[in-house]
Each structure stands twice: as C-alpha cells, then as structure tokens.
Amino acid sequence: HREPLGAEQLERALCQAKDVDAQMEQLVGLLELSEGERRLRHLLVALFQEVFSEFFPGCSVLPFGSSVNSFDAHGCDLDLLLDLEPTKSLQSSVRGSPGAEESILSDIDLASASPPELLELVAAVLRRCVPGVRRVRAVPTARRPVVKFSHKQSGLAGDISVDNRLALHNTRFLRLCAEADERVRPLGYAVRLWAKQQGLAGNPAGGGPLLTNYALTLLVLFFLQTRSPPVLPAVARLRELAGNEDHVVVAGWDCSFPRDAALLEPSANSKSPSSLLAEFFHVFGDFDFSGRVLSLREGRALPLPEASELFKLGSLNLQDPFELSHNVAANVTEKTAARLGHCCRAAAKYCRSLQYRCKSAKGRGWGLVRLFQPGAVEPGAGAASFLITIPMPAPRCPEEPGEGFKEICAGIAFVLRDVLRCRCTPGKPPKQLGAPGVGQSLPEDPVGGKEPPGDTAGEEEEPLQPATASKRPQPDGMDGAALPCAKRPRVNGPEQEEEEEEEKEEEVVASWSCTIWHRVWTGRRRLRRQLLHGASPEEPEEGGDSLELEQKVSEAIVQHEGAAQPPEPLLRFEASARLAGGGQREPRVLLRLTPSPAPGPLFRDFFHFLQAFLPPALRRHLGWGPGADP
Ligand code: ATP
Ligand code: MG
C-alpha cells in the first residue's frame, strides 16, 4: 500500500514541468494507481468473489467507481457491487429440492429479504469470513445502501452495494469518455484536485452538501460536450452509435452506448488541456446553476422542467446521463453552489495571469501548483487558515456545551503538546465575541491561554461566501471533515453584515501560539509497528488506539532527528478553538490553524496529518470511545 502523495512532493514535481499542459499530464501520472496497486485491487476482488460465492452461489462481485473509471488516485476507495440476481433465480429454482436446506440459501429468502436484512447478511459474511477485513458496518439509510469496510493489509477502504447495476454502466461511460479523447483525464484530474482543495467536492455518495466526485466528473464531461466544436459527443449521440450488442436497459433506463471508443468520431476541437481548464473555470464562474438543467444526454443546458415531480430541482441541477429522473447534485446546498461559482471565478482570474501560464524562474509555485493551494488564488484573501471540525458527542450536549468545550480544549492542548511535541503558549488577550446574553465564561485554558487571537473576529466557517448566498442554517454534514479556507477580505457592505451575523454564533474561544520543531507527522506508521514489534494483532487506528504509544512514536522521531534543538522551528501557527453550533446544528468545536508565514507544502502536510490524527486521539484521550463519533 502506497502512502498518499504528500503536497510537498506533488508541488516539487509539478514545478519542474515545462508548461501547464505538461503539468496536467504529470498530475495524472503522479496520482493514478500503479500497476501493483491495480493488481492488489484485482486480488481483493477475487478474494471477495471466492468468499461470497460460498454463501451466494452464482453471485458476482464487480468493481465500479474510481478503481475502474479511469479517474483513479492512490488510496481511492474500492466500490464493489455484489450482484445477487443469479443467486435469487437459483434459490427459487432449488427451493424444496433435496439438499437445499444445507446451503445458506435456505436461511433467508433473498427475493423477499428487506434491503437492511440483506445488508446485515453481507456485513456478517464480511466480518466472519473475509480475512483482513475490518471495521465492517452497514449503512442502510444512504440513497444507495452500502456495507462499508476497510482492509487491513492493503489499507484500502471500500463499500459494497447490493442493488446498483446502474453504477456499472455509468462507470463504463466515464471510462469510454476518458478513452475517447486524451484531454479528458488530465482535465478530470485537475478539476477533481482543485475542487477537493477548495472544499467543494469529496462527499462519498452525496452524504453532505458537497459535490461527489462522480457529479464533479459529469460536470467536466458536460463542459466538454458543450464546447464549440465539442470535445465529447452527447449521450444521445452515443446511443445512435451503439451496436446491437451494446443495447442495454437497466431499471427502465436506456444505458446503450458503444463499448469501444474506436467507434467514436474524433473531436474537431484542437484546444490544449490547459486552455480547456481555464475555459472550464470561465464558463462555470458565470453559470446559472439553479435556473437550468445540465443534460449530458442532450449535451446542452435545458430550461427547468415545468412539472418536476421526480427530478429534484436544487441549487445545481445536473442530470444523470442514464437515470434521467436523478439530479446527481441534489444534495448540493445553495452555499456550496455559490462557492463553486465564486471559486471558479477566482480560478478563471488566476488562469489569466502570468503565474498560471509561465514557469517561474525563481522556483516559485506556478501553473497548477497555485491553483491547488487552498484559498491561495482567491482575490483579496488574507492569511490562509485551515479548519478542523470536532463534533461533540451527544452525551456532552446540549445541557453543558461550555463544559464539553473546556474538556475538548484541554484535550487539544494535551495532544498538541504532550503527544505531538508541539510547543504551545497562550494566545493574545481575551475578546468576548458573543453577543450580549449569549456569551459564556471563557474556559480555563489548560496551557494558561484564555484568549482568542484578536484578529479572528469576523472570520467565518465558510470562506468567501458571496453575499447572495443563503443565511439559513444548512444541515451541512461537514462534521468531522475539515475545510481549508481563507480569511474573508475586510470590506464594508453586505459581506460585513453577514460576518457580524456569524459572530453572534461564537460563544467561547481559546487559543494558542504554536511552533513545531520536528517532522512528527512522517513515518509514524512504520515506527508504530516497530514499537509494537508486531505484538498486537490489530493495527491501531491512527491516533486513536493508544496515546502512550503515540507519545513514544513522537519521541522516537525527535530522537531520530537528533535531540539537539534545531535553530528555527519548522512551522509556526496560531491555533484557536471555538464552540459553534446551536439552533438546528450539532454543537462542535472548530479548531482553526493560521500559519505564518503563508502556508507552504510542509504546513499542508502537517495539517492533513492533524486533520486525521486529532479527532480519534481526542476521543481516546477524553474517553468518548468510538461510538462517540456521530
Ligand atoms: P472517489 O475517488 O471519491 O471514490 P469515484 O470516482 O469512485 O470517486 P464516487 O463519487 O465515489 O466517485 O462515485 C462512485 C459511483 O457512485 C459512481 O459511479 C455512481 O454510480 C455512484 N454515485 C456517486 N455519486 C452519485 C450521485 N450523486 N448520484 C448518483 N450516483 C452517484
Ligand atoms: Mg468511489
């Protein structure tokens, strides 16, 4: 299993390319799965197939999604479909025949089993019979119910869904598009990484307010269909090109298109990938997402349907290419759609600059590198800051959120200082940010700091939200996730008012000035293993299993780097925690890190580490247990 590519490594490699087109090509090479990784996935699928066949004779285990859709990246999840249709037919044909009661087929009638029953059965097989599989849990409430799992030896996370044949065809459609024109993959990878860095995409299966990677990829394909001349044909045109053997209907939806990309006409559009990328941002920077339906079937934006009983209209209307009644962006909130437009405008502006087009002679970030820096290209952005959201477990709220907050602050200081060997000193003098009546007493800061940095006033959770965006509380599903973001520009006008609105939500604040002297975020996994001497049968969850062990790991890193104090810290940042939530939102603690000077790749690597490490470490330290994670 390969560690995900660090931001530093990626930037260094991209900076050396000769131009933006070369960067885009290189990006694909840096992110895509290696032959070995592909083989490993293949073996895992074969293992699942073997085990499930024992229980469900005739079934097939079929991969879909990023492992096979041509938009794979190191560490991407493994989406699997367990097709039980053949088993169901078999079951109905053998019922009552001698010997049938000995097989699992007699235990449960697959045809009449409810989806949750079926999922539990799949989960039970996974738990008991597939070697190396961990953390199995059924998620029956998702739009497409799945069983989640992770695989110990490969470090892969995956989903198994039972009834989702459409996914096989939309995966094959993405792959066909990637094969049809060699600009599709570079563009897809660049837009995916950009959107991830801006906090616009990444929810698995549409569970939150962000675009899923599938929806984002469809947006790229729609863009390519609507160029003049088009880079890709519309799905309706593909249907015409389909041969007899390509005709298929799934759940009533026509999924016919050629299997072979050689049947498609080559595009007459000769633009370079880098200019298409700039054009993508230009087009969607100024697009009426809520007033039209983006139709990949027709390859154009349609007026809103008159009666839209089935198609769920929203802030972004993107029609599935096959399941025509499905808006793949139905989960996207008004706020996210507005931010998508805003981030596209900022990116389009950056793409017009020399820094995008010309390689820096002084070794500074240029081209894609700056595009991928969170908040870096947003005009008027102040110091970039990075947010980690720590959900408060239900028993801690709502009676005494202030108490829970104190405890969390003590925990944050403990993890930073005692587990990660970071030096923390109290922040700047206190400033009560709450509106009269809602403010609460400041918590006792465990490291002596009771103070927010004075300049956090006016920050808000979502960066650069245009004034037109909704103020309604949104069930944003961001808990546990982190949004890299930038401070808002200080301007008067509607935006200012909104910042003040937001301030009233702030209740209690704690802050620290921190310095990091050692690369405590690298090589932890290996050291952990060495320290355990392979004695523990279960690999500990990062940061979550034993904090004593984590302390030893940090100590080993410090020793290894030479115990002598380096002359300068590697990183400096302000950390401030505040309690947020209330009303319809879950109480949660927002930890904001503001590095100075401006964040480089080293800081980003540290941040991504802390984002994964801190929440489970806190749970462990505060004794919340794994169930505390909502
Ligand atoms: P990732 O690397 O994030 O796993 P991915 O390429 O696998 O990316 P996902 O968004 O996980 O993309 O989508 C995998 C499959 O899940 C898609 O092929 C599609 O069938 C289904 N899917 C994902 N999002 C949606 C959605 N919004 N609506 C309908 N189906 C979706
Ligand atoms: Mg996936």
Side-chain angles (χ1 to χ4, degrees):
H1 171 57
R2 248 170 99 159
E3 301 268 346
L5 198 65
E8 196 180 359
Q9 257 175 303
L10 186 73
E11 288 191 10
R12 216 180 308 122
L14 291 181
C15 276
Q16 281 159 13
K18 74 175 198 305
D19 56 24
V20 181
D21 289 315
Q23 283 187 328
M24 289 175 76
E25 199 182 314
Q26 206 169 10
L27 181 70
V28 177
L30 288 165
L31 295 183
E32 71 183 346
L33 297 177
S34 65
E35 255 324 295
E37 287 169 301
R38 275 178 213 288
R39 221 169 315 130
L40 179 68
R41 280 165 195 257
H42 200 75
L43 284 172
L44 268 175
V45 174
L47 173 69
F48 280 99
Q49 176 72 66
E50 194 178 322
V51 173
F52 278 112
S53 298
E54 292 273 320
F55 290 90
F56 305 114
C59 74
S60 357
V61 176
L62 303 159
F64 67 96
S66 48
S67 301
V68 284
N69 68 9
S70 304
F71 297 95
D72 44 285
H74 300 303
C76 67
D77 66 357
L78 179 61
D79 298 302
L80 298 175
L81 172 73
L82 174 63
D83 182 10
L84 294 175
E85 288 310 316
T87 318
K88 287 180 192 168
S89 336
L90 205 64
Q91 192 173 44
S92 57
S93 67
V94 301
R95 187 161 302 122
S97 66
E101 61 282 355
E102 277 156 37
S103 100
I104 186 165
L105 286 175
S106 63
D107 293 350
I108 181 165
D109 179 28
L110 294 179
S112 64
S114 70
E117 281 172 337
L118 218 50
L119 280 193
E120 273 314 325
L121 188 61
V122 170
V125 173
L126 271 181
R127 265 190 212 109
R128 301 206 200 125
C129 310
V130 189
V133 163
R134 299 275 185 279
R135 298 193 199 123
V136 176
R137 62 222 174 269
V139 188
T141 48
R143 178 174 172 270
R144 297 282 183 195
V146 292
V147 180
K148 297 192 157 293
F149 65 89
S150 61
H151 182 257
K152 186 182 167 187
Q153 286 80 7
S154 64
L156 287 180
D159 283 351
I160 298 191
S161 56
V162 175
D163 178 26
N164 189 10
R165 293 194 65 78
L166 276 167
L168 297 178
H169 297 282
N170 65 41
T171 294
R172 194 162 57 79
F173 167 67
L174 262 47
R175 213 170 51 217
L176 178 81
C177 290
E179 283 166 14
D181 191 288
E182 59 182 17
R183 292 165 291 185
V184 175
R185 287 186 83 212
L187 200 63
Y189 276 80
V191 171
R192 274 181 176 227
L193 186 54
W194 166 81
K196 181 177 163 203
Q197 297 294 82
Q198 308 303 322
L200 292 166
N203 291 120
L210 306 185
L211 287 146
T212 64
N213 266 327
Y214 174 64
L216 189 66
T217 311
L218 292 181
L219 193 63
V220 172
L221 301 180
F222 172 83
F223 163 77
L224 293 172
Q225 290 176 337
T226 49
R227 294 312 85 213
S228 174
V231 177
L232 288 175
V235 177
R237 173 70 190 135
L238 291 176
R239 164 113 202 14
E240 290 167 6
L241 296 171
N244 281 340
E245 67 289 358
D246 298 321
H247 282 202
V248 353
V249 173
V250 176
W253 301 109
D254 190 347
C255 299
S256 311
F257 57 88
R259 262 145 226 278
D260 184 0
L263 291 176
L264 312 191
E265 302 115 352
S267 165
N269 186 314
S270 60
K271 288 207 171 135
S272 67
S274 62
S275 60
L276 286 170
L277 181 63
E279 199 175 333
F280 175 90
F281 294 129
H282 178 73
V283 167
F284 292 119
D286 197 17
F287 197 92
D288 181 10
F289 286 120
S290 62
R292 337 214 64 199
V293 176
L294 280 62
S295 163
L296 280 96
R297 170 77 36 176
E298 302 215 12
R300 66 195 177 93
L302 308 174
L304 294 185
E306 307 269 288
S308 50
E309 277 158 41
L310 282 176
F311 189 90
K312 196 171 148 207
L313 289 172
S315 305
L316 201 170
N317 300 307
L318 180 55
Q319 189 187 40
D320 190 86
F322 307 105
E323 191 182 1
L324 300 181
S325 65
H326 178 51
N327 178 5
V328 300
N331 63 305
V332 170
T333 55
E334 197 177 333
K335 201 167 175 174
T336 304
R339 251 170 27 77
L340 172 64
H342 184 90
C343 289
C344 281
R345 279 192 295 283
K349 184 173 170 198
Y350 168 67
C351 288
R352 289 192 293 271
S353 73
L354 281 177
Q355 284 146 339
Y356 175 66
R357 282 172 288 145
C358 303
K359 181 170 179 170
S360 161
K362 296 182 185 151
R364 293 210 198 101
W366 63 281
L368 292 187
V369 172
R370 307 240 329 218
L371 200 60
F372 295 152
Q373 289 170 0
V377 297
E378 290 171 356
S385 66
F386 296 77
L387 203 61
I388 298 178
T389 304
I390 303 153
M392 292 177 75
R396 318 261 141 187
C397 58
E399 310 91 23
E400 268 307 336
E403 284 303 308
F405 180 67
K406 273 190 213 173
E407 220 187 331
I408 292 181
C409 287
I412 292 171
F414 173 79
V415 173
L416 285 174
R417 201 180 42 191
D418 294 309
V419 181
L420 295 176
R421 309 285 298 255
C422 164
R423 290 206 200 155
C424 302
T425 57
K428 293 174 203 162
K431 181 174 171 189
Q432 184 69 40
L433 294 176
V438 286
Q440 303 189 355
S441 60
L442 289 164
E444 299 256 323
D445 189 300
V447 290
K450 299 182 174 184
E451 302 87 6
D455 61 357
T456 52
E459 276 185 24
E460 61 155 70
E461 199 182 327
E462 293 268 3
L464 295 155
Q465 180 200 345
T468 51
S470 164
K471 287 185 197 172
R472 267 178 289 131
Q474 306 272 10
D476 65 7
M478 286 306 295
D479 287 354
L483 258 190
C485 56
K487 277 189 198 168
R488 299 240 325 230
R490 302 271 183 284
V491 288
N492 287 319
E495 289 204 339
Q496 186 72 32
E497 274 168 39
E498 208 173 281
E499 285 175 353
E500 280 157 14
E501 257 316 291
E502 188 74 15
E503 263 181 34
K504 292 184 191 130
E505 259 197 25
E506 306 207 3
E507 289 170 336
V508 283
V509 187
S511 79
W512 309 272
S513 293
C514 307
T515 48
I516 299 260
W517 300 77
H518 300 279
R519 289 180 184 242
V520 287
W521 61 93
T522 50
R524 294 190 76 90
R525 193 184 302 180
R526 186 176 44 81
L527 281 165
R528 210 176 282 137
R529 232 181 273 132
Q530 278 174 7
L531 285 165
L532 284 171
H533 292 299
S536 162
E538 282 269 336
E539 179 144 330
E541 184 188 350
E542 180 112 41
D545 211 64
S546 155
L547 287 184
E548 223 171 287
L549 175 65
E550 297 304 329
Q551 281 174 311
K552 286 188 193 143
V553 169
S554 302
E555 180 55 36
I557 293 173
V558 172
Q559 291 300 330
H560 177 76
E561 289 188 359
Q565 180 74 60
E568 279 292 317
L570 292 171
L571 298 171
R572 248 177 234 285
F573 59 90
E574 286 289 319
S576 69
R578 72 175 172 94
L579 184 63
Q584 297 172 17
R585 306 182 69 173
E586 292 286 307
R588 61 211 185 282
V589 172
L590 303 177
L591 179 69
R592 183 181 295 279
L593 308 188
T594 310
S596 59
L602 205 61
F603 178 81
R604 273 190 284 277
D605 284 346
F606 166 72
F607 172 73
H608 288 306
F609 157 74
L610 192 67
Q611 196 180 343
F613 185 88
L614 185 62
L618 271 176
R619 277 201 296 277
R620 164 67 43 168
H621 177 64
L622 300 171
W624 293 345
D629 193 357

